[in-house]
Structure formats: C-alpha cells, structure tokens
C-alpha cells in the first residue's frame, strides 16, 4: 500500500479522552481502553468508525456500557470497524485487548527488555497495544492506570504527572498517571519493572520545581550521572536560547537495552537505548559522552518541537525531526567548540545523507509518498532537515529567525502542524517570500554549484561565475532552480579580508551570495589584487562544489582562512584530491606518490598551537574509504581506494615521524579524567597521532603500550582499533583483543566496541571473522545494538571486507538480513540499506551486489519494511 501526501484528510472522528488500564503479565497482558469518541462537526451519523490495529487479539467491545452486536462490527487483528456508531455525537467506546509483550521481538508496541516492560509507539506502534485512530493529528488527554505484581515490577511509570498508587491483593500494586497535555498516540509510553533511580531536580525560569528521574538497571546508577547533568544543561539552554520552559511536574528518562533507534521523546517519559545514557570513563569513549549529551538534549527539546507542536501526518516528520536536530546541534555547539561541532556535523552529513540523496533511496526532506514510514527516519529527514532550518536562519539572520520561532510556538502550540505552517511563520516574521527556498523541503537531490573566477587587474574587477544544477533523483527527473545561500569570503595577502566597492549579478548580504538563478556572474569592483575565494563558509548550504581553483590558493586557504570550517575544508579537499589521484595511479599499475608540501602541511597543522587540539585531530583524520569512494562517484574498486588511503597515511606518518612522536608524548594526560570537550580534544589528537605512528617501525609496540597504560575507554578502544586494523594478526593485536574481551565480557555495551573493531578490520578475511563472531556468547541477533555493532559495522564501515570481489560479503549480508527480519523487520530493513550505493561499484561487484538484493526480493512473505527498501534499491 502506498500512502500519499495529497490523500490527507481529517478523520471523521476525534478521541478527546483516552483512559488506559494495563494488567501486566509477560504472556497475557490485558489492556482496557476507554475512549471518549466524538464525531466531527458536519459528518454523517452513518459514517463508520474505523480504528487501526496491528496483530491484536480482541476480547470485547462495548459502547456506552453495552456490548456491541457482532453484526455491527468488523474485527480483524489489523482493524476494528464500528459499522453503526451511536447517533449521539459523543460516546464511550470500551475495548479490551490481550497482548504477549514477552514474545514481541519487533520492539514496537509493548515489549519486554531484560524483563522490563516498555513501549515504543512512534511511528505506528500504538496500534499494537489497542485499536485506535493511530495518526498524529488525533490529540487526546491520557489517563493511565498500571497494575502489576510488585515483585516483578516495583516501578510503574507512564506519561504526565503521577496521580496515585497503592497495594492490591495477591502481592499486586497499581499506579495511575495523568497527562494534561493532549498528545498523539505515538507519544504514549509505559515502563514497568525493577529499575534503579537517579533523582535530581530543576527549577524552571518561572520558578517551578521539576523532579527529574533517570531509571537504569539496578546497580548502574553511577553510570547515569553524565546523562543527568546533560539533561539539566539542556533544560537551561532551551530557556535561554528559545525561551522554552518545561511544563510538567516530573521528567523521567528510562534506559533499556533492547531498542530499535536511539531514543524516544514520549511526553514526560523519554525512553532511551541504554547506549545513550550509561557512561563513565572506564566504559564509554569521548564520542559516547558527546552522543549522550546530544541525544538527551534532542529528546528533551522535542517537548516543544514535536510534542507541544506535533505533526499533522507522517509526511511532516521533518517538521519535528529536522528542527529538533538543528536545536540539538546548536546546543552542542554552545556547550563545546562551535567550529569542531560544525566540522563533525558536515562529515556526518556527507557520510550518511549525501549517499542517500545520490542513490536509489533519495527522497525529499518532506516526502510525498511512502509505503513504510519506519523507512523514512533517514539522514535526509533528520540531518538535511536540520540544514534546511539552518539555512532559514542564515537567510533571515538570527534575530528574525528567533522572532519566527516565537511566532511558531505561539501560533501552533497544541496543534498538529505542517511544513507550510512552519515556512509561513518565517515569511511573516521577515516579510520575505520563501516559496523558492521551500523547494529544499520538496525536491530531493544534492545541488551542485560549479564555480570559476576571473580577475581583471586593469578594471580592478573580480568575477565569480556560479552555476547551479540539481541531479535527477527517483521519480523527479526535472528539477526546479533553488535558492542557495552561499556564504563566502575574499581573502588577500596575509589572510586579510579583501574589501570591494560594489557587487553586481546576485544579491549579496552579510557575506552570503543568494543563488536563485541557473547562472550568476557575480562581479566585485574595486579589487586590485586577485583574492583567494573561500566558498560555502560554515557549510552554509548542503551542496557539492566543483570549484576551479589553483592548488596554491587551496594551500593558502588551508592555512589562512579565518572561517575555521572552510580552513578545515580546504585541507580536506587537498587530501581528497591527492587520494583520488593516488587511486587512479594504483588502477594504472603505478605506485602512488604525494606532494611533500601536502604531507608537510599535515605536520604544520598538527603542531599549530593556535588551533584547538580537537580541530587538529579532525584535520588529520583522512577521509575514510567510503568518503573517498563517494567523491570518486562511479566504477569503484574499494581495494584500490583502501590502498591509496593507506599509502597517504604512511606518507604523512613518514614525513612527520619525529614531530608526531614528540607531540604524542607531550599530549599524555597527567590530570584526572574529565569528559569535557577540551580534554576530549587532546585525547583525540593524541590518538590520531598514534594511528600515524603505528605505521612506522615499532608501531605495534607503541600501540600495545598505549593500550596497556590506558586509564579510560577512549584511549583503550583507540589503541585496540589501531592494533586490530594496522597490525591485524600480530601477537600484539591478538593479545589486546583477548585482554579486552576478558575484562568486559559481562558488559554488553563495551563488548559492542569489541565487535565493531573486529568487524571493521579491512581485508578479505573480514566476512569470516564476522560470521564466526555471530556465534560468540556475547552476540545476539535479537538485540539491535549487537546487530548494528557487528553486522552494521561490517556492511557500512568496512569497504574492503564487505565488498569482497567474490560477493561473499553481500551474500552474508542478505542471509543475515533475512534472519534478523524474522524477529525485527525494522532493524533488518535498516541493515539492507548498506547496499544502496551498489550502482557506483565496478561492474563485477555491481553484479554480485545486485544478485544479493534480488535474492532478498525473491524471498516469500517479506515484511513491508524490507520489501520497500529492497525494491526501491533495485528500481
Ligand atoms: N522520534 C525519535 C527521535 O528521533 C525516533 C523514533 C523513531 N522510531 C521508529 N520506530 N521509527 O528522537
Ligand atoms: Zn527526534
């Protein structure tokens, strides 16, 4: 079934009130829903009421206290239709269903994770609990009563504020919760089980005290401290940056170990993948700490962007997700280093969103059709969606943007809104027409800008010739011209900005060229010397650039661009160009060589004390195999790509051995561990230096020493990765892997790192390693974190291993996807996206990848999730 944006219409009935009663038991939970149903004004009395279900067992149905006659009812596991609803506009519908949470392996609806009852209802999981109008424009006030055995579930949580609790007969007890804010069903949540609590409180800007609770497995309380701190900082930041205050008396977070995604913003009761809550220096890396901070913030920020203002339908998903990602990006930028954060965001966008946008799964930020909505929780909706919001701020300026946001909150609070509503508040706040800009929501594909420049010294004119194009994407062959805000700088000798008198050919405001036409000749007058041009500063638009620029200018910008992002970009472009040239040399049977001024520049940047260590670490991190492949674009031979990358790493290490070694020693941490950004940056720099030094004589011993003397997981995992990847099969690598396994065998989240590191060891042996690790006692096909760490890492972060020329990697993936699918279609569909760029491979691998996709497509009874991904990938 295909769902289309243009088919939206309001439902005939509303559900202003929802009362839910749960009697919890692993195999036979009884759910009694008492719904106040209201026929919408103007709808005929004979309009049937059609409720969504998904695999439900119906026990009974009553209307206003009377059992409904079977003839007036159409009931199946997936739908409940009242053929003759009462004549009264308002009536009470009582529905009893029975569920088996312990057998629910799809992890949607009500399920059990480590014996804890929990729920995941976004997008369409609520219909696996009871029959309902399970769509986000049905806002209802929920009251929930939970009954359970006190032994099994001493803790009973739901949305909103606690109302009462008490004892029942036979060792059972109950608790009831009321959420005064009308909400869509996807924000419903329930948690019941035996969990430890970390408690704190926060006083909001108007002086209300909010009780904060983070619930984790008993004994893990000490691991929730960082998450709690991040939560309080998030609450503070949303008040300061957006004027948004929290609205309930309590805010609870629960960490569970079986979870399909990162986390979920259920009203007043966020549920998290425990990977994004639990952390201390012994078990979590600096990247884990940063992710926890960002995701805690993201889910908290949803309280306003998602919950108070929700989405009219699932086509509007980016209304809450893109905006909330933008907000969490800004939060992290304020808490950490803005420049470093921006570089990291762009790397992520290019690694995940660009290939999506440039392949068979491309879709607009606001899609117009879907078969399975779960497959649209994508990098395009989230990350490109955030970039679109950022562009609105760039175009309007921070102040007008804030005025637009204020208007959005004021006008749409309590509503289920659309992207059109969102754009309109900014048009009104600014008085501008954003209709061309809105194409960013409607049109898929990564725009490209071709730029060349000329300088006429006699006329003192500098001209940029800029041309935009948007490549065709599935079902959108003709593209319209977009409004692209291109931040730029003209840079003269010594890195000083170049002044100009006038500019013609495009509107230029505050350092931004507004590209609106296919071609612009942007002429700057009064420019005596030829400047170097810095383009797309701060990554002002999510586009690719084809710039005709002299290498000398590129080297100059890599040292002197005052925009930190663009300075990083200039060096990264130099590295990429060198890697692509090396790739071609290798294909031509030659030894790759690299310009000494490039490898020397790596040394200069590494030891430039005016730059933050975290920035230097990002600069020294070579584009990954997949990044290089993406920039090459077609006819990819992943082995040649990998060889090129290894050769450049070796050249940089060799050219700078002594300097890197001195710097490495000087960065050794003498202070007590702190997860703050500056300390993390020093560790990042030291660990990337270790990676280079490990390629030089004595490298394995150095990494082994680093591993043994590590006092935190960041250093330990980094050293283990260096040993496993750079010294695969060495005694040092084997010893370190064994020691790590022994120490952390009983900590699944740490064992995920062990799986990940081995899954990403390059080379043809990887598929066998991964296959045998699926039999490891710490591995489980039923747990999404395990599956992603081992199978996900292998198929998306191991180019040489996965793309083994004989196709064994693809066959293994296909087989594993089908195995995972039996339990969890959502996770299986996500895994299958690893094959989305199959058309950019060289012909031999392309054929093998296609065979694997076809073998999945030919399997009988595929889930909607997997069928959708595989068919679009092959189309
Ligand atoms: N709304 C959640 C977040 O981004 C994501 C939940 C997606 N879940 C799903 N099953 N599709 O914070
Ligand atoms: Zn979100």
């Amino acid at each position: 079934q295909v769902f289309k944006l243009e088919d939206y219409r309001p439902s005939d009935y509303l559900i202003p009130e929802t009362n839910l009663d749960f009697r919890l038991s692993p195999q036979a939970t009884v759910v009694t829903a008492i719904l106040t149903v209201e026929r919408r004004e103007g709808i005929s009395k004979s309009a049937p009421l059609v409720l969504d279900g998904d695999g439900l067992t119906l026990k009974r149905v009553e209307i206003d206290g009377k059992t409904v006659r079977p003839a007036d009812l159409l009931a199946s596991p997936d739908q409940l239709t009242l053929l003759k609803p009462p004549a009264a506009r308002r009536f009470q519908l009582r529905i009893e269903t029975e569920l088996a949470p312990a057998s629910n392996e799809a992890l949607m609806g009500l399920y059990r994770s480590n014996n804890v009852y929990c729920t995941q209802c976004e997008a369409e999981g609520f219909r696996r609990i009871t029959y309902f109008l399970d769509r986000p424009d049905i806002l209802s006030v929920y009251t929930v009563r939970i009954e359970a055995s006190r032994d099994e579930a001493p803790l009973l949580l739901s949305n909103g504020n606690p109302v009462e609790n008490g004892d029942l007969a036979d060792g059972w007890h109950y608790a009831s919760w009321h959420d005064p804010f009308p909400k869509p069903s996807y924000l419903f949540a329930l948690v019941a089980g035996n969990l430890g609590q970390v408690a704190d409180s926060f006083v909001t800007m108007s002086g209300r005290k909010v009780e904060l609770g983070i619930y984790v497995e008993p004994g893990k309380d000490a691991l929730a401290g960082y998450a709690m701190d991040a939560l309080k900082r998030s609450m503070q930041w949303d008040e300061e940056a957006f004027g948004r205050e929290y609205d309930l008396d309590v805010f609870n977070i629960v960490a569970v170990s079986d979870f399909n995604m990162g986390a979920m913003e259920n009203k007043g009761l966020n549920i998290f993948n425990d990977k994004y809550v639990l952390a201390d220096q012994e078990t979590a890396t600096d990247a884990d700490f940063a992710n926890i901070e960002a995701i805690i913030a993201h889910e908290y920020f949803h309280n306003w962007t998602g919950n108070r203002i929700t989405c009219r339908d699932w086509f509007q998903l980016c209304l809450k997700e893109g905006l909330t990602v933008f907000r969490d990006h800004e939060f992290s930028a304020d808490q950490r280093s803005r420049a470093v954060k921006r570089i990291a965001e762009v790397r992520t966008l290019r690694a995940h969103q660009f290939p999506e946008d440039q392949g068979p799964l491309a879709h607009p930020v606001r899609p117009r059709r879907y078969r399975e909505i779960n497959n649209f929780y994508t990098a395009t909706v989230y990350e490109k969606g955030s970039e679109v919001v950022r562009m609105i701020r760039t175009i309007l300026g921070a102040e007008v943007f804030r005025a637009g946001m204020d208007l959005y909150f004021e006008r749409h609070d309590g509503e289920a809104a659309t992207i059109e509503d969102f754009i309109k508040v900014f048009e009104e706040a600014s008085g501008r027409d954003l209709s061309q800009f809105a194409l960013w929501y409607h049109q898929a594909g990564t725009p490209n800008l071709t730029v060349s420049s000329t300088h006429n010294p006699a006329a003192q004119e500098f001209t940029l010739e800029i041309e935009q194009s948007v490549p065709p994407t599935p079902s959108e062959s003709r593209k319209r011209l977009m409004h692209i805000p291109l931040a730029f700088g003209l840079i003269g000798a010594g890195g000083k900005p170049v002044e100009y008198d006038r500019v013609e050919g495009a509107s230029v405001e505050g350092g931004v060229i507004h590209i609106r036409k296919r071609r612009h000749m942007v002429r700057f007058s009064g420019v005596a010397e030829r400047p170097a041009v810095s383009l797309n500063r701060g990554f002002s638009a999510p586009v690719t650039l084809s710039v005709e620029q002299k290498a000398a200018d590129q080297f100059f910008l890599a040292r002197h661009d005052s925009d930190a992002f663009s300075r990083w970009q200039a060096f990264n472009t130099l590295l990429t160009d060198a890697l692509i040239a090396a790739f071609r040399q290798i294909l031509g049977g030659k030894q790759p060589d690299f310009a000494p001024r490039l490898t020397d520049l790596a040394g200069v940047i590494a030891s430039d004390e005016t730059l933050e260590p975290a920035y230097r670490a990002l600069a020294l991190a070579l584009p990954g195999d997949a990044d290089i492949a993406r920039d090459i674009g077609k006819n990819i031979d992943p082995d040649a790509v990998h060889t090129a990358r290894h050769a450049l790493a070796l050249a940089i290490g060799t050219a700078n051995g002594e300097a890197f070694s001195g710097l490495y020693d000087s960065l050794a941490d003498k202070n007590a561990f702190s997860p703050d950004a500056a300390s993390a940056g020093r560790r990042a720099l030291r660990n990337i230096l270790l990676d280079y030094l490990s390629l030089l004589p004595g490298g394995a011993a150095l990494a082994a020493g680093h591993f043994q003397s590590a006092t935190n997981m960041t250093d330990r995992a980094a050293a283990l990765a260096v040993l496993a990847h750079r010294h695969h099969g060495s005694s040092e690598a084997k010893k370190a892997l064994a020691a790590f396994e022994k120490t952390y065998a009983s900590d699944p989240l740490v064992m995920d790192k062990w799986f990940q590191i081995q899954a990403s060891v390059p080379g043809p042996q990887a598929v066998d390693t991964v296959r045998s690790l699926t039999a490891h006692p710490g591995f489980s096909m039923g747990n999404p974190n395990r599956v992603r760490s081992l199978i996900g890492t292998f198929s998306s972060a191991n180019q040489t291993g996965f793309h083994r020329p004989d196709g064994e990697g693809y066959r293994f993936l296909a087989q594993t996807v089908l195995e995972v699918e039996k339990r969890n279609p959502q996770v299986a569909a996500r895994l299958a996206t690893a094959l989305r760029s199959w058309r950019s491979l060289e012909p031999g691998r392309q054929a093998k990848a296609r065979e694997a996709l076809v073998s999945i497509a030919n399997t009988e009874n595929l889930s909607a999730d997997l069928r959708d991904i595989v068919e679009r990938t092959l189309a």
Side-chain angles (χ1 to χ4, degrees):
Q1 192 180 359
V2 179
F3 298 91
K4 297 180 184 157
L5 171 63
E6 65 265 27
D7 290 346
Y8 173 84
R9 63 178 199 94
S11 70
D12 292 347
Y13 291 88
L14 303 172
I15 308 178
E17 276 171 49
T18 300
N19 269 268
L20 297 172
D21 211 293
F22 289 84
R23 213 179 140 74
L24 294 173
S25 124
Q27 287 300 345
T29 289
V30 178
V31 183
T32 307
I34 300 179
L35 312 177
T36 302
V37 181
E38 201 176 279
R39 189 178 297 109
R40 202 188 280 273
E41 195 100 46
I43 299 298
S44 142
K45 290 192 169 88
S46 62
L49 171 61
V50 185
L51 300 177
D52 306 298
D54 181 358
L56 288 171
T57 303
L58 177 63
K59 289 295 179 184
R60 49 193 289 162
V61 190
E62 285 175 8
I63 293 178
D64 293 329
K66 286 192 217 71
T67 305
V68 181
R69 290 193 353 228
D72 296 345
L73 208 60
L74 270 176
S76 80
D78 301 336
Q79 202 166 65
L80 179 65
T81 307
L82 295 182
L83 297 164
K84 292 194 185 125
R89 262 197 69 198
R90 229 174 206 260
F91 56 93
Q92 212 183 53
L93 179 60
R94 186 177 182 285
I95 303 170
E96 209 178 289
T97 50
E98 194 183 288
L99 325 170
S103 308
N104 180 353
E105 291 191 292
L107 314 184
M108 289 295 286
L110 177 66
Y111 65 96
R112 301 248 292 175
S113 173
N114 269 345
N115 297 325
V116 174
Y117 294 92
C118 65
T119 53
Q120 171 59 36
C121 293
E122 187 179 3
E124 297 176 335
F126 191 74
R127 61 185 66 181
R128 291 163 63 89
I129 296 173
T130 188
Y131 295 98
F132 203 74
L133 293 172
D134 191 15
R135 43 188 281 174
D137 61 346
I138 295 294
L139 306 186
S140 191
V141 172
Y142 285 66
T143 305
V144 177
R145 182 185 152 99
I146 311 166
E147 290 182 15
S149 139
R150 196 184 270 283
D151 278 348
E152 190 187 42
L155 175 77
L156 306 173
L157 301 174
S158 190
N159 314 93
N161 296 317
V163 179
E164 64 167 316
N165 57 72
D167 285 321
L168 298 167
D170 303 322
W172 278 55
H173 71 148
Y174 74 95
S176 56
W177 292 79
H178 178 73
D179 180 2
F181 295 95
K183 65 167 174 288
S185 49
Y186 80 86
L187 291 174
F188 165 79
L190 171 157
V191 172
N194 181 16
L195 293 166
Q197 185 202 28
V198 175
D200 208 325
S201 63
F202 179 82
V203 178
T204 69
M205 60 190 187
S206 72
R208 281 190 320 101
K209 189 172 173 197
V210 181
E211 301 298 337
L212 309 177
I214 300 188
Y215 297 85
V216 297
E217 254 176 58
K220 298 208 166 155
D221 313 22
L223 296 174
Y226 185 78
M228 181 62 89
D229 180 58
L231 173 61
K232 290 190 289 182
R233 286 185 282 122
S234 305
M235 296 178 84
Q236 180 87 32
W237 186 89
D238 212 12
E239 294 185 347
E240 290 163 7
F242 284 93
R244 295 298 109 197
E245 187 178 9
Y246 188 63
D247 49 12
L248 290 164
D249 302 336
V250 301
F251 186 77
N252 288 320
I253 291 175
V254 179
V256 301
S257 48
D258 300 86
F259 202 77
N260 281 345
M261 313 278 282
M264 180 63 211
E265 69 265 22
N266 317 298
K267 182 79 185 189
L269 178 55
N270 290 0
I271 299 182
F272 271 63
N273 186 327
D274 58 1
K275 170 180 164 67
Y276 297 121
V277 173
L278 305 174
D280 67 2
Q281 72 182 83
E282 178 60 25
T283 56
T285 62
D286 291 324
D288 293 326
F289 280 102
N291 280 334
I292 290 170
E293 179 180 82
I295 297 177
I296 291 273
H298 178 97
E299 306 310 329
Y300 174 72
F301 297 157
H302 267 314
N303 192 55
W304 275 94
T305 49
N307 301 3
R308 291 285 290 252
I309 306 178
T310 192
C311 301
R312 186 192 74 174
D313 53 61
W314 290 120
F315 298 101
Q316 322 296 329
L317 183 57
C318 64
L319 177 69
K320 73 178 179 80
E321 296 304 347
L323 177 55
T324 305
V325 170
F326 172 74
R327 277 150 53 69
D328 86 55
H329 282 177
E330 283 298 294
F331 168 73
S332 295
D334 283 346
Q335 302 283 312
R336 293 168 174 250
S337 154
R338 184 162 281 270
V340 166
K341 174 67 181 154
R342 190 64 186 138
I343 295 166
E345 282 160 18
V346 173
R347 285 188 77 130
T348 309
L349 184 84
R350 288 189 179 137
H352 298 112
Q353 201 276 327
F354 276 22
E356 182 168 86
D357 225 357
Q358 295 162 11
L361 301 179
H363 54 273
V365 172
R366 188 180 69 183
R368 275 179 299 276
R369 51 200 55 215
Y370 62 77
R371 283 196 291 176
E372 175 51 63
I373 188 58
N374 284 326
N375 289 338
F376 284 80
Y377 287 73
T378 59
T380 296
V381 169
Y382 277 66
E383 317 300 327
K384 189 177 180 181
S386 165
E387 295 302 323
V388 175
V389 176
R390 181 176 299 276
M391 284 189 284
I392 296 178
R393 191 182 62 175
T394 300
I395 290 168
L396 303 188
E399 239 168 83
V400 178
F401 174 76
R402 174 66 198 270
M405 285 301 300
D406 288 346
L407 182 58
Y408 178 65
F409 291 124
E410 186 190 305
R411 181 178 291 172
H412 296 291
D413 186 13
E415 290 181 8
T418 61
I419 284 300
E420 281 73 16
D421 295 328
F422 186 67
I423 294 168
K424 192 148 195 287
V425 296
F426 294 107
E427 290 190 317
E428 288 188 22
S430 66
R432 297 195 195 211
D433 174 1
L434 294 176
S435 49
Q436 188 186 12
F437 177 82
L439 285 174
W440 281 103
Y441 282 107
H442 309 319
Q443 197 162 268
T446 309
N448 179 258
L449 293 177
T450 308
V451 186
S452 60
S453 65
T454 46
H455 183 242
N456 180 341
Q460 303 214 342
E461 268 180 7
F462 181 70
T463 306
L464 287 174
E465 187 177 336
I466 307 175
E467 188 168 330
Q468 68 159 298
S469 62
V470 187
T473 53
S475 78
E476 287 179 14
S477 48
R478 291 174 59 87
K479 301 286 185 177
R480 289 192 279 161
L481 294 171
M482 306 193 54
H483 175 189
I484 299 170
L486 185 68
F488 77 106
L490 304 184
I491 307 174
K496 298 230 168 47
V498 166
E499 306 286 331
Y500 52 87
D501 300 334
R502 269 186 333 124
V503 54
E504 307 156 72
S507 88
V508 177
E509 311 164 44
V512 177
I513 304 172
H514 292 270
I515 313 289
R516 293 168 172 279
K517 300 188 294 184
R518 181 169 312 284
R519 278 183 73 201
H520 289 263
M521 297 284 276
V522 189
R523 186 163 294 123
F524 300 87
S525 49
V527 180
E529 303 269 317
R530 191 184 67 86
V533 212
S534 165
L535 288 169
N536 210 16
R537 284 186 149 180
F539 200 69
S540 62
V543 299
T544 52
L545 291 178
S546 316
V547 190
E548 222 178 80
Q549 192 153 36
K550 297 195 172 67
D553 279 357
Q554 211 61 269
F555 274 94
F556 176 76
L557 293 171
R559 289 302 293 139
H560 301 295
D561 198 326
S562 60
D563 181 272
F565 170 79
S566 292
R567 191 169 59 229
W568 170 84
Q569 181 62 71
F571 184 56
N572 197 261
T573 303
L574 286 168
L575 293 171
T576 302
D577 291 349
L579 286 161
I580 295 177
F583 168 79
R584 307 238 182 269
Q585 285 177 317
I586 290 161
L587 287 185
K590 293 204 223 46
Q591 278 282 102
D593 53 17
F594 300 97
R597 67 170 173 170
L598 178 66
T599 53
D600 289 350
L601 180 52
V604 171
I605 293 174
S607 47
D608 183 343
E609 300 284 337
T610 67
L611 302 170
E612 297 172 83
Y615 172 90
R616 290 186 261 159
L618 281 171
L620 292 175
L622 295 184
D625 287 358
D627 297 312
I628 305 165
R630 184 189 66 242
D631 287 339
I632 295 170
K634 53 174 193 286
N635 215 1
I636 303 302
D637 171 351
D639 292 322
V641 169
H642 186 74
T643 306
R645 184 176 190 271
H646 191 271
L648 179 55
L650 184 60
I652 291 177
T654 307
N656 299 286
E658 229 168 284
F660 280 8
S661 174
L663 193 54
Y664 171 84
D665 291 338
S666 75
L667 284 162
D669 213 339
K670 288 155 210 93
N671 306 325
F673 178 88
S674 159
D676 71 87
S679 310
R682 284 192 296 275
R683 282 187 287 272
L685 179 55
R686 188 162 187 262
N687 286 326
I688 189 107
L689 292 170
L690 173 69
D691 189 40
Y692 284 107
L693 293 168
S694 76
L695 299 171
L696 306 180
L702 180 73
H706 192 112
F707 179 78
Q708 277 148 21
S709 62
T711 56
N712 57 73
M713 184 50 75
T714 303
D715 291 338
R716 194 174 293 122
L720 186 63
V722 165
L723 285 168
H725 296 176
R726 304 295 196 187
H727 296 278
H728 173 63
S730 68
S731 63
E732 288 92 342
K734 285 182 188 153
K735 262 173 68 180
L737 281 167
F740 193 99
E741 179 188 16
K742 192 159 173 244
T743 311
Y744 300 107
S746 62
D747 190 332
L749 291 178
V750 183
M751 284 303 284
D752 282 344
K753 302 182 196 306
W754 187 81
F755 286 124
Q756 259 173 47
I757 286 169
Q758 295 181 84
S760 48
V761 174
Q765 80 302 327
V767 62
D768 300 318
T769 309
V770 172
R771 189 182 275 122
S772 62
L773 283 172
T774 59
H776 189 277
F779 183 79
S780 155
M781 283 290 180
N783 178 284
N785 288 352
R786 296 306 90 72
V787 171
R788 282 188 286 255
S789 297
L790 188 60
I791 318 296
T793 300
F794 167 70
S795 55
S796 65
N798 187 343
Q799 297 291 299
T800 52
F802 179 54
H803 298 287
R804 205 165 91 166
D806 65 1
E808 191 53 25
Y810 310 141
R811 282 190 292 275
F812 170 69
L813 180 73
Q815 187 194 340
T816 311
V817 160
L818 291 171
E819 193 180 332
V820 172
E821 194 217 18
K822 286 182 215 138
R823 305 166 128 161
N824 192 325
Q826 216 179 102
V827 169
R830 190 59 62 122
L831 271 189
T833 64
L835 282 163
R836 68 184 170 198
S837 300
W838 65 280
R839 279 196 184 87
S840 57
L841 295 161
E842 49 81 21
R845 287 174 171 91
Q846 215 180 102
K848 300 236 153 50
R850 187 172 182 282
E851 273 169 36
L853 281 161
V854 169
S855 79
I856 300 178
N858 287 344
T859 306
E860 270 171 48
N861 301 320
L862 279 194
S863 60
D865 305 60
L866 188 53
R867 178 157 302 286
D868 171 47
I869 292 291
V870 172
E871 288 182 358
R872 278 193 286 142
T873 303
L874 280 168

